[in-house]
């Protein structure tokens, strides 16, 4: 649904009124269009003795980014990329501050701040661990300070995982990550040999077969469309009752429709028979289908509790187990499951939903080694407030508050969740496993 308040703030009168009254002014976010340059302007590539300078310069240069090594104060940057892998002390943090602080003033609209560091967990002394972890607080704070649709994210890069970095670098700099801010993502060596770059970064899923559950509407339909745009053949799955809408989405994305209730005992078999039987393979499984049945826990009957856990969690566990047992998922396979910020923070009246979505996070973390064992990965996305039929049904005041309590002061779009899933679906994203990426504009809930 449309965000009337945001539309108002974009008019000359609205701009004046909101500025005078100090009201939130949501920016128009830069979103991805195929074929456009990775960045709409130059990038500053800075470092404090980091180890990634060469790989970053080479990758960004190949991606057509105009790179500058210093900020002379004469130009606006579309991105600031800071290689903080050399940050190992409080003194190093001061050096980073000296470079970044003035440069931030020259970051343009929908600008990107991307900081790369080594994981704090691999530090061999308290001083090094502290300095690395300090970057976490720093980046999350800067994400809250940036204006005009700017985002800030931290990527930790394990030693040896440099070659698995490119898809993540491209995601965070591009318009694909418009609603992802204040996140910490770890690129590891778990699957580095398989993080092969696609021939065309605008069609990174060419030749891959994906299944999306709950594809008949909302976020699922956007995921199907995005995967298809990126080159995948998409099997759109949803309940038989959604048959007509499902067929419409499948036609629109040039995919096929599969009517299946994911809670049925044969769901995994139906999915694999359809994907492998008709399209020869299954590379990407997106567990998007989900339901809410809100009620205070004290008043929640058994059926209400069970139905939400059955669709949102148990079905996914059983489908994954079925596909792994039958060896349907192999090298470069990707599972991405929809969690929620409610699963991270909890939500009044949503104990069943929050339990199921937190369960997804547990599933993803625990299954990561199993997927790595077959050369694949499993990750989750946790959307915050997304403009869908579900959120349109919220009472006005609750919806208005939920929309504004994030750093970007607006709701995300289904495409923002879809873009994040497409990034995690790429064969080149093999260095990301067992992670949860929030697509919430840095929502205060669960921050
Ligand atoms: P939606 O209700 O619009 O769509 C969900 C789809 O899942 C529907 O098409 C429905 O028919 C399908 N589905 C339900 N039960 C099924 C079953 N047993 N088998 C097969 N399909 C089934 O939801 P949405 O807003 O698009 O959300 C999609 C996912 O994102 C959900 O998992 C939701 O929990 C999660 N999420 C949404 C938001 C948001 O703001 N909309 C926020 C956080 C998380």
């Amino acid at each position: 649904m449309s965000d009337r308040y945001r539309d108002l703030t974009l008019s000359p009168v609205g701009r004046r009124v909101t500025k005078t009254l100090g009201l939130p002014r949501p920016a128009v976010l830069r979103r991805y269009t195929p074929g456009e340059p990775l960045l709409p302007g130059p990038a500053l590539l800075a470092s404090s003795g980091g180890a990634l300078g060469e790989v970053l310069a080479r990758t960004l240069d190949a991606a057509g980014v105009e790179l500058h090594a210093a900020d002379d104060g004469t130009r606006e940057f579309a991105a600031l990329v800071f290689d903080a892998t050399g940050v190992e002390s409080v003194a190093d943090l001061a050096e980073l501050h000296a470079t970044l602080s003035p440069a931030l003033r020259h970051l343009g609209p929908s600008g990107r701040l991307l900081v790369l560091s080594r994981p704090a967990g691999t530090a061999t002394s308290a001083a090094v661990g502290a300095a690395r972890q300090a970057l976490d607080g720093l980046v999350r704070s800067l994400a809250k300070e940036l204006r005009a649709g700017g985002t800030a994210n931290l990527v930790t890069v394990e030693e040896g995982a440099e070659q698995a970095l490119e898809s993540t670098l491209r995601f965070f700099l591009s318009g694909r990550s418009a609603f992802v801010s204040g996140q910490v993502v770890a690129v590891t060596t778990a699957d580095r040999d398989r993080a092969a770059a696609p021939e065309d970064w605008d069609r990174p899923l060419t030749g891959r077969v994906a299944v999306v559950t709950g594809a008949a509407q909302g976020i699922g339909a956007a995921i199907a469309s995005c995967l298809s745009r990126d080159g995948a053949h998409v099997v759109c799955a949803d309940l038989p009752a959604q048959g007509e809408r499902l067929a419409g989405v499948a036609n629109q994305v040039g995919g096929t429709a599969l009517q299946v209730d994911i809670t049925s005992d044969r769901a995994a078999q139906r999915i694999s028979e359809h994907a492998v039987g008709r399209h020869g393979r299954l590379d990407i499984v997106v567990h998007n289908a989900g339901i809410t049945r809100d009620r205070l826990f004290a008043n929640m009957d058994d059926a209400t509790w069970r139905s939400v856990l059955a669709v949102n969690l148990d079905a996914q566990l059983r489908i994954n187990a079925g596909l792994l047992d039958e060896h349907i998922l192999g090298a470069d396979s990707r599972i991405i499951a929809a969690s929620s910020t409610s699963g991270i923070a909890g939500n009044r009246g949503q104990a069943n939903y929050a339990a199921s979505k937190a369960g997804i996070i547990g599933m993803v973390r625990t299954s990561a080694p199993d997927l790595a064992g077959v050369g694949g990965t499993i990750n989750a996305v946790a959307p915050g407030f997304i403009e869908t039929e579900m959120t349109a049904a919220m009472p006005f005041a609750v919806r208005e508050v939920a929309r504004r309590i994030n750093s970007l002061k607006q709701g995300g779009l289904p495409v923002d969740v879809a873009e994040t899933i497409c990034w995690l679906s790429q064969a080149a994203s093999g260095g990301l496993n067992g992670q949860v990426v929030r697509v919430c504009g840095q929502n205060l809930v669960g921050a």
Side-chain angles (χ1 to χ4, degrees), residues 214 217 219 238-239 242 261-262 288 339 353 357 383-384 386 388:
Q217 65 183 51
I219 296 173
D238 211 304
L239 291 168
Q242 289 274 47
D261 181 338
I262 57 165
N288 162 77
S339 178
Y353 182 76
K357 295 299 185 180
I386 305 295
T388 59

